[in-house]
Amino acid sequence: MATGSGSTTAEHLRAALDGPWGSVREEARIQLAGQEFTGDPYLDYKAARARVLDQMRVIATLGYAERGFRRENGGTSEPGAAVTGLEMLAYADLSLWVKAGVQWGLFGGAVENLGTERHRDYIRRLISLDLLGCFAMTESGHGSDVANLETTATYDLETEEFVVHSPTPSARKDYIGGAAEHARMAAVFAQLITNGENQGVHCLLVPIRDEQGADLPGVTTSDDGLKGGLLGVDNGRISFDHVRVPRENLLNRYADVAPDGTYSSEIENPSRRFFTTLGTLVRGRVSVGGAAAAGARVALSIALRYAMKRRQFADPDSGEETVLLDYRSHQRRLLPLLAKSYAYAFAQNDLVRRMHLVQTGQDLEPGAQRALEKRAAGLKVAQTRHATRAIQECREACGGAGYLTENRLVTLKGDTDVFTTFEGDNVVLTQLVAKELLTAYADEIRDLDALGWVRFAATMAGDVVRKRSGVRQLIQTLRDRGDDGIDEGDLARRSVQLQLFADREDYLVRTAAHRLRARAEETGPFEAFNNAQDHILAAGSAHIDRLVLEAFIEGIGDIEDPDAKALADDVCDLFVYTMLEENSAWFIMHRFMSVERAKAVRRGVNELVDRLRPHALTLVEAMGVPETMLRAAMLDDASVYERS
Amino acid sequence: MATGSGSTTAEHLRAALDGPWGSVREEARIQLAGQEFTGDPYLDYKAARARVLDQMRVIATLGYAERGFRRENGGTSEPGAAVTGLEMLAYADLSLWVKAGVQWGLFGGAVENLGTERHRDYIRRLISLDLLGCFAMTESGHGSDVANLETTATYDLETEEFVVHSPTPSARKDYIGGAAEHARMAAVFAQLITNGENQGVHCLLVPIRDEQGADLPGVTTSDDGLKGGLLGVDNGRISFDHVRVPRENLLNRYADVAPDGTYSSEIENPSRRFFTTLGTLVRGRVSVGGAAAAGARVALSIALRYAMKRRQFADPDSGEETVLLDYRSHQRRLLPLLAKSYAYAFAQNDLVRRMHLVQTGQDLEPGAQRALEKRAAGLKVAQTRHATRAIQECREACGGAGYLTENRLVTLKGDTDVFTTFEGDNVVLTQLVAKELLTAYADEIRDLDALGWVRFAATMAGDVVRKRSGVRQLIQTLRDRGDDGIDEGDLARRSVQLQLFADREDYLVRTAAHRLRARAEETGPFEAFNNAQDHILAAGSAHIDRLVLEAFIEGIGDIEDPDAKALADDVCDLFVYTMLEENSAWFIMHRFMSVERAKAVRRGVNELVDRLRPHALTLVEAMGVPETMLRAAMLDDASVYERS
């Protein structure tokens, strides 16, 4: 299917999936293809960590880190390229990606976004790895509930220092990447207390180890040891026993403490200050979703390529053994996951572009930052959930071979498994998305306190969300474009598909609000919230699904090559039909879909996997994981697995 | 909730879940509680394998192995106790369970069931571990399709020997537990060729290593290396280059080769002979399902106990932090999985009892063996799928702590992950169950060849299955018992629930047959089969679900303590409502359930998790995993995770 321009369909499609920073991806495919950036599962965990640190030192020379920092801080101010470039590390090894993310994204991001000129020198040092840091937010006792962290940073006017302390066993910092071995300094989130008053959670820099790697006085680090994956990441714990740091170590972009202990902040509302602080760290969530999706693409590339080689059971008609991917059940296992991977790739590109515009000051719309946070949270959930399911399915679809470490799927599974948890637990993040919808962006009650938002949500108007989101406009555009013909209800029309997704979202948000209102009058707000929790989570998920479909549609709109576009359209249909099938009970129960239509959806999935089967290799190639980076022994061992 | 007898509700319930070999479980809880039977995740894989072998030597002295063999072979003829006792090893460490299963279940089972007196001496030696063996069935090129294995065993009349050979790279034996290091002898499945004729797959004993562990001449073993789990199991590969073994090494229970090369068998039909041979190995599938379910019980015990301690986010009404299990979403994540674990525990007990009756000659009904095989296949699928999902959910429900190896969930996940594959891939086994249903036990066409059974299935009568299965009788009994009152349609009635499960199964089987018939006329049988594959798989699953519900109902019938019985009834309701909710789209689409009823089902799940929440600890205790065997650091570290 070569086209006039000399590119293949797969190349056109890959260019579309590569998105706005395609050249960064292309460069990375060459730079990172070598064996030196892979993990070695046979190393013990100490050696694996050392290997990753060595790899980091090479990566630090390649310009990946600088992109993520502003020019005045020694960077090149390209946040979109930064996230995209680092995401490519995930193709090589997810431990390396996490390590880079902790150093440059989380630790570096905290210093860059929460610090001021006085912290600038740290940034130059952390880019070059002269300074290794960690991001000490989570505690053993509080992970999701960051506002109630227990670590304290108490200002001592006598010495103009903060005293950082872990007052309880549950206040110890935990799961902190870098804390077990490599980090010399921690960006510590703690309750800031000055003049006897608690000003809430703030971040300050605390040296934790000396040059030789020994704990500094008052600091006790320990090792989280082995995990479900990420062998090369040194997660650990930190406890503080009245550790003193200079006043200037407070990252004082949004709030400061004067030498005399006076607290000041440009943001008066404490809750808003807290969320502004956390909001600057949005890049972490953007990155986690992207890396999870990258892991899923590697797994699907492996499982689909294997499914095109491996044969089992003879076809009685021909006597020939059947290739796995020719079985209906195998197509249904893997191709809908491929369609989801396409959908998330477009959605992630769109998210990174939005993040880039906000973070480079090109998007100054009020509410842009907040909309970005919601979208990042939602796509983090969707992509990490997708990765967990898809990689599991890939493992099982490759049978015993899939279970061998040499075929990489189990490593991908173990490494990405925690992605549903870190940078925000998926349940909590889905709730966050739903709360944003329910409160229709009302700034004043944006609070983790159930009381406030339940009261507010209970009074909200209804379909504010949809009015704002522009989905109606997109549906209208699609109709105007003439995609819709005679049969308005035809499920194959994009506008009808999008309408179904939007209807579901609207209905769930509206009825969740109604349910909260009805309940809140009878019971307390917590009871009301808790009783409706499954409903609220469904509303959040429906919103995410709609955003993803919009991004997919818009992504296809940019494809010029007709063959590539036609193929992408079929994949988009499979994505839509798969999502409709997964939610068909809901659609029927709420009268958005007739029983006949639901049956047509199921048949549609079968027809689409049939139609896409001949293009499977093209679709895999277009996902853009180079064959050289797959590193699954079974794909290379033709004499064992291939027969004709 | 203590009762008159002095036992608690949990104890009564546990006795019911412990099943017919409760005393074996009780004994094992004491014997296996020690640290010496756990795995050590910090060992490298070579050391981990050595540790498991040491553990095996202790287990061999405790009588676990003897139960599985007949008295004349040095055992005690207690197959039910054997499977139950070994299952308990899964609470300690799944590598140990696999190693024991390979040695005594697979290798020992092959010698015992396929061999004759002339092989008796091997059994005494393998029970005591004087002889370490492996079960060399799967090859790199053929796993599910056992009938087409490539390894050959060609009889040489000159020397009265079999020549065992791997003619192609894909003929190498692969994933074989014990093959990498410890096994000295292999039970090899190979195409038996004598007098120039291929008589199909047979099993023969082939020494593979000398006393020092070196490969014997012509044998090449290699190591599968690291896997997704099961660190202590030495899976490996074996290739044969014209390896000669005496004629007597053929396990000749069902077929033999005379010194002159004449082949003879009491079973004339080759396909029937093949399935008879494989059928004797049913204990493996029974055991895998049981061990998977045991792993899920450990994981759920850990996650639920953590969810009762761990708090996150303050309830604004009380100011107190909320225990995770008080959140609706957390209840909905874990309690339905607990209900499934209860269901499978009853179903597994029932299966083991049936197996025991067949294998001790107490059940001589024609068709009993075959019905047992179908049930074992079905429950293997259901329980391994359940384990994979449940343990994953437990990991995620414990957040970052769940990802640390010290809290055991990731080890359980990795260790059980391959259970959906081994002893029969779940997709293939579900198909096998469905084929049995479709062909209504017609012996003559029981063949993996699609041609035969599609033709037959296409002519079958319809609801044969249900007439045979006795489900109607059970429904009638439940009605007679007066469980049903005025409202015949009340979903809370067991008979109505069971009727829904049976209706689904009937409908799917009948319509799958119809679809095959309609298609087979237009296309070839493979096309017809493949086109209906998702339908066929659904029929198989529906059958399994119905068998499980029946076993649950019968299990509850045996509980005498009223509190325990009432609690079990609620758990059974939750199981039913969960299954109905998962399949609600199907039920609505096929008019077995109204939209209103489907909504009632969803509300019912919420009501039931609410009702069961206060009994969560009782329900966990009743699952019967002793606290001492949980070995999750977070459960012991009260100062860090518990707050009040």
Coordinates of all heavy atoms in Angstrom, one line a residue, chain B residues 118-162:
Chain B
R118 N 5.4 -53.1 36.1 CA 6.8 -53.1 35.8 C 7.4 -51.7 36.2 O 8.6 -51.6 36.2 CB 7.1 -53.5 34.4 CG 6.7 -52.5 33.3 CD 6.9 -53.2 31.9 NE 6.8 -52.2 30.9 CZ 6.4 -52.5 29.6 NH1 6.1 -53.7 29.3 NH2 6.4 -51.6 28.7
H119 N 6.5 -50.7 36.4 CA 7.0 -49.4 36.7 C 6.9 -49.1 38.2 O 7.1 -48.0 38.6 CB 6.3 -48.3 35.9 CG 6.4 -48.6 34.4 ND1 5.3 -49.1 33.7 CD2 7.4 -48.6 33.5 CE1 5.7 -49.3 32.4 NE2 6.9 -49.0 32.3
R120 N 6.4 -50.1 39.0 CA 6.0 -49.8 40.4 C 7.2 -49.3 41.2 O 7.0 -48.5 42.1 CB 5.5 -51.1 40.9 CG 4.9 -51.0 42.3 CD 4.1 -52.1 42.7 NE 2.8 -52.2 42.0 CZ 2.0 -53.2 41.9 NH1 2.3 -54.3 42.6 NH2 0.9 -53.2 41.3
D121 N 8.3 -49.8 40.9 CA 9.5 -49.5 41.7 C 9.8 -48.0 41.6 O 10.2 -47.3 42.6 CB 10.7 -50.3 41.4 CG 11.7 -50.2 42.5 OD1 11.3 -50.4 43.6 OD2 12.9 -49.9 42.2
Y122 N 9.6 -47.4 40.4 CA 9.8 -46.0 40.3 C 8.9 -45.2 41.2 O 9.3 -44.1 41.7 CB 9.4 -45.6 38.8 CG 10.4 -46.1 37.8 CD1 10.0 -46.8 36.7 CD2 11.8 -45.8 37.8 CE1 10.8 -47.3 35.7 CE2 12.6 -46.2 36.9 CZ 12.2 -47.0 35.8 OH 13.0 -47.4 34.8
I123 N 7.7 -45.7 41.5 CA 6.8 -44.9 42.3 C 7.3 -44.8 43.7 O 7.3 -43.7 44.3 CB 5.4 -45.5 42.2 CG1 4.9 -45.5 40.8 CG2 4.4 -44.8 43.2 CD1 3.5 -45.9 40.6
R124 N 7.7 -45.9 44.3 CA 8.3 -45.8 45.6 C 9.5 -44.8 45.7 O 9.6 -44.0 46.6 CB 8.8 -47.2 46.1 CG 7.7 -48.2 46.2 CD 8.3 -49.6 46.6 NE 7.3 -50.6 46.3 CZ 6.3 -51.0 47.1 NH1 6.1 -50.3 48.2 NH2 5.5 -51.9 46.7
R125 N 10.3 -44.8 44.6 CA 11.4 -43.9 44.6 C 11.0 -42.5 44.4 O 11.6 -41.5 45.0 CB 12.4 -44.3 43.5 CG 13.1 -45.7 43.8 CD 14.0 -46.1 42.7 NE 15.0 -45.0 42.4 CZ 15.6 -44.8 41.2 NH1 15.2 -45.5 40.2 NH2 16.4 -43.8 41.1
L126 N 10.0 -42.2 43.6 CA 9.6 -40.8 43.4 C 8.8 -40.2 44.6 O 8.9 -39.0 44.8 CB 8.9 -40.7 42.1 CG 7.4 -41.2 41.9 CD1 6.4 -40.2 42.4 CD2 7.2 -41.6 40.5
I127 N 8.1 -41.1 45.3 CA 7.5 -40.6 46.5 C 8.5 -40.1 47.5 O 8.4 -39.0 48.1 CB 6.6 -41.7 47.2 CG1 5.4 -42.0 46.3 CG2 6.2 -41.3 48.6 CD1 4.5 -43.2 46.8
S128 N 9.6 -40.8 47.7 CA 10.6 -40.5 48.7 C 11.6 -39.4 48.2 O 12.5 -39.0 48.9 CB 11.4 -41.7 49.1 OG 12.2 -42.2 48.0
L129 N 11.5 -39.1 46.9 CA 12.4 -38.2 46.2 C 13.7 -38.8 45.9 O 14.7 -38.1 45.6 CB 12.6 -36.8 47.0 CG 11.3 -36.0 47.3 CD1 11.7 -34.7 47.9 CD2 10.5 -35.8 46.0
D130 N 13.8 -40.1 46.1 CA 15.0 -40.8 45.6 C 15.1 -40.6 44.1 O 16.2 -40.5 43.6 CB 14.9 -42.3 46.0 CG 16.1 -43.0 45.4 OD1 17.2 -42.6 45.7 OD2 15.9 -44.1 44.8
L131 N 14.0 -40.5 43.4 CA 14.0 -40.3 42.0 C 13.2 -38.9 41.7 O 12.0 -38.8 42.0 CB 13.3 -41.4 41.3 CG 13.0 -41.2 39.8 CD1 14.4 -41.2 39.0 CD2 12.2 -42.3 39.2
L132 N 13.9 -38.0 41.2 CA 13.3 -36.7 40.8 C 12.9 -36.7 39.3 O 13.8 -37.1 38.5 CB 14.2 -35.5 41.1 CG 14.5 -35.3 42.6 CD1 15.6 -34.2 42.7 CD2 13.2 -34.8 43.3
G133 N 11.7 -36.4 39.0 CA 11.2 -36.5 37.7 C 10.6 -35.2 37.1 O 10.5 -34.3 37.8
C134 N 10.3 -35.3 35.8 CA 9.6 -34.2 35.2 C 8.6 -34.7 34.2 O 8.7 -35.9 33.9 CB 10.6 -33.2 34.6 SG 11.5 -33.8 33.2
F135 N 7.7 -33.8 33.8 CA 6.6 -34.2 32.9 C 6.8 -33.5 31.6 O 6.4 -32.3 31.5 CB 5.3 -33.8 33.6 CG 4.1 -34.2 33.0 CD1 3.6 -35.5 33.1 CD2 3.3 -33.3 32.3 CE1 2.4 -35.9 32.5 CE2 2.1 -33.6 31.7 CZ 1.6 -34.9 31.8
A136 N 7.3 -34.2 30.6 CA 7.8 -33.6 29.4 C 6.7 -33.7 28.3 O 6.9 -34.5 27.4 CB 9.1 -34.1 29.0
M137 N 5.7 -33.0 28.4 CA 4.6 -33.0 27.4 C 4.8 -31.8 26.4 O 5.1 -32.0 25.3 CB 3.2 -33.0 28.1 CG 2.1 -33.0 27.1 SD 0.5 -32.9 27.9 CE 0.1 -34.6 28.2
T138 N 4.6 -30.6 26.9 CA 4.6 -29.4 26.1 C 5.9 -29.3 25.3 O 7.0 -29.5 25.8 CB 4.4 -28.2 26.9 OG1 3.1 -28.3 27.5 CG2 4.4 -26.9 26.1
E139 N 5.8 -28.9 24.0 CA 7.0 -28.5 23.2 C 6.9 -27.0 22.8 O 5.8 -26.4 22.9 CB 7.0 -29.4 22.0 CG 7.1 -30.9 22.3 CD 7.0 -31.8 21.1 OE1 6.7 -31.4 20.0 OE2 7.1 -33.0 21.4
S140 N 8.0 -26.5 22.4 CA 8.0 -25.1 22.0 C 7.0 -24.8 20.9 O 6.4 -23.8 20.8 CB 9.4 -24.7 21.5 OG 10.4 -24.9 22.5
G141 N 6.8 -25.8 20.0 CA 5.9 -25.6 18.9 C 4.5 -26.1 19.2 O 3.6 -25.6 18.5
H142 N 4.3 -26.9 20.1 CA 2.9 -27.4 20.4 C 2.7 -27.5 21.9 O 3.4 -28.3 22.6 CB 2.7 -28.8 19.7 CG 2.7 -28.7 18.2 ND1 3.8 -28.8 17.5 CD2 1.6 -28.5 17.4 CE1 3.5 -28.6 16.2 NE2 2.2 -28.5 16.1
G143 N 1.7 -26.8 22.3 CA 1.3 -26.8 23.7 C -0.1 -27.3 23.9 O -0.3 -28.4 24.3
S144 N -1.0 -26.5 23.4 CA -2.4 -26.9 23.5 C -2.7 -28.1 22.6 O -3.5 -28.9 22.9 CB -3.3 -25.7 23.1 OG -3.2 -24.6 24.0
D145 N -2.1 -28.1 21.5 CA -2.3 -29.2 20.5 C -1.4 -30.4 20.8 O -0.5 -30.7 20.0 CB -2.1 -28.6 19.1 CG -2.6 -29.6 18.0 OD1 -3.1 -30.7 18.4 OD2 -2.4 -29.3 16.8
V146 N -1.7 -31.1 21.8 CA -0.9 -32.2 22.3 C -0.9 -33.3 21.2 O 0.1 -34.0 21.1 CB -1.4 -32.7 23.6 CG1 -0.7 -34.0 24.0 CG2 -1.3 -31.7 24.7
A147 N -2.0 -33.5 20.5 CA -2.0 -34.6 19.6 C -1.0 -34.5 18.5 O -0.6 -35.4 17.8 CB -3.4 -34.7 19.0
N148 N -0.5 -33.3 18.2 CA 0.4 -33.0 17.2 C 1.8 -32.7 17.7 O 2.6 -32.1 17.0 CB -0.1 -31.9 16.2 CG -1.2 -32.5 15.3 OD1 -1.0 -33.5 14.6 ND2 -2.4 -31.9 15.4
L149 N 2.2 -33.2 18.8 CA 3.6 -33.1 19.3 C 4.5 -33.7 18.2 O 4.1 -34.6 17.5 CB 3.7 -33.9 20.6 CG 3.0 -33.3 21.8 CD1 3.1 -34.3 23.0 CD2 3.5 -32.0 22.2
E150 N 5.7 -33.2 18.2 CA 6.6 -33.6 17.2 C 7.7 -34.6 17.6 O 8.3 -35.3 16.8 CB 7.4 -32.4 16.6 CG 6.4 -31.4 15.8 CD 7.2 -30.2 15.3 OE1 7.8 -30.3 14.2 OE2 7.2 -29.2 16.0
T151 N 7.9 -34.7 18.9 CA 8.9 -35.7 19.4 C 8.5 -37.1 19.0 O 7.3 -37.4 19.0 CB 9.0 -35.6 20.9 OG1 9.3 -34.3 21.3 CG2 10.0 -36.6 21.5
T152 N 9.4 -37.9 18.6 CA 9.1 -39.3 18.2 C 9.8 -40.3 19.1 O 10.9 -40.0 19.6 CB 9.6 -39.5 16.7 OG1 11.0 -39.1 16.6 CG2 8.8 -38.7 15.7
A153 N 9.1 -41.4 19.2 CA 9.7 -42.6 19.9 C 9.5 -43.7 19.0 O 8.4 -44.3 18.8 CB 9.0 -42.8 21.2
T154 N 10.6 -44.1 18.3 CA 10.5 -45.1 17.2 C 11.1 -46.4 17.7 O 12.2 -46.4 18.3 CB 11.4 -44.6 16.0 OG1 10.9 -43.3 15.7 CG2 11.1 -45.5 14.8
Y155 N 10.3 -47.4 17.6 CA 10.7 -48.7 18.1 C 11.8 -49.4 17.2 O 11.6 -49.5 16.0 CB 9.5 -49.7 18.3 CG 9.9 -51.0 19.0 CD1 10.4 -50.9 20.3 CD2 9.8 -52.2 18.3 CE1 10.8 -52.1 20.9 CE2 10.2 -53.3 18.9 CZ 10.7 -53.3 20.2 OH 11.1 -54.5 20.8
D156 N 12.8 -49.9 17.8 CA 13.9 -50.5 17.0 C 13.9 -52.0 17.4 O 14.3 -52.4 18.6 CB 15.2 -49.9 17.4 CG 16.4 -50.6 16.7 OD1 16.2 -51.6 16.0 OD2 17.5 -50.1 16.8
L157 N 13.4 -52.9 16.6 CA 13.3 -54.3 17.0 C 14.6 -55.0 17.2 O 14.7 -55.9 18.0 CB 12.6 -55.2 16.0 CG 11.8 -55.0 14.7 CD1 12.4 -56.0 13.7 CD2 10.4 -55.3 15.1
E158 N 15.6 -54.5 16.5 CA 16.9 -55.1 16.7 C 17.4 -55.1 18.1 O 17.8 -56.1 18.6 CB 18.0 -54.2 15.9 CG 17.7 -54.0 14.5 CD 18.1 -55.2 13.6 OE1 19.2 -55.8 13.9 OE2 17.3 -55.7 12.8
T159 N 17.2 -54.0 18.8 CA 17.7 -53.8 20.1 C 16.6 -53.8 21.2 O 16.9 -53.8 22.4 CB 18.5 -52.5 20.3 OG1 17.6 -51.4 20.0 CG2 19.7 -52.4 19.3
E160 N 15.4 -53.9 20.7 CA 14.2 -53.8 21.6 C 14.3 -52.6 22.4 O 14.1 -52.5 23.6 CB 14.1 -55.1 22.5 CG 13.9 -56.4 21.6 CD 13.5 -57.6 22.4 OE1 13.3 -57.5 23.6 OE2 13.4 -58.7 21.8
E161 N 14.5 -51.5 21.7 CA 14.6 -50.2 22.4 C 13.7 -49.2 21.6 O 13.4 -49.3 20.4 CB 16.0 -49.6 22.4 CG 16.9 -50.4 23.3 CD 18.4 -49.9 23.1 OE1 18.8 -49.6 22.0 OE2 19.1 -49.8 24.1
F162 N 13.3 -48.1 22.3 CA 12.7 -47.0 21.7 C 13.8 -45.9 21.5 O 14.6 -45.7 22.3 CB 11.6 -46.4 22.5 CG 10.3 -47.2 22.5 CD1 10.0 -48.0 23.6 CD2 9.5 -47.1 21.4 CE1 8.8 -48.7 23.6 CE2 8.3 -47.9 21.4 CZ 8.0 -48.7 22.5

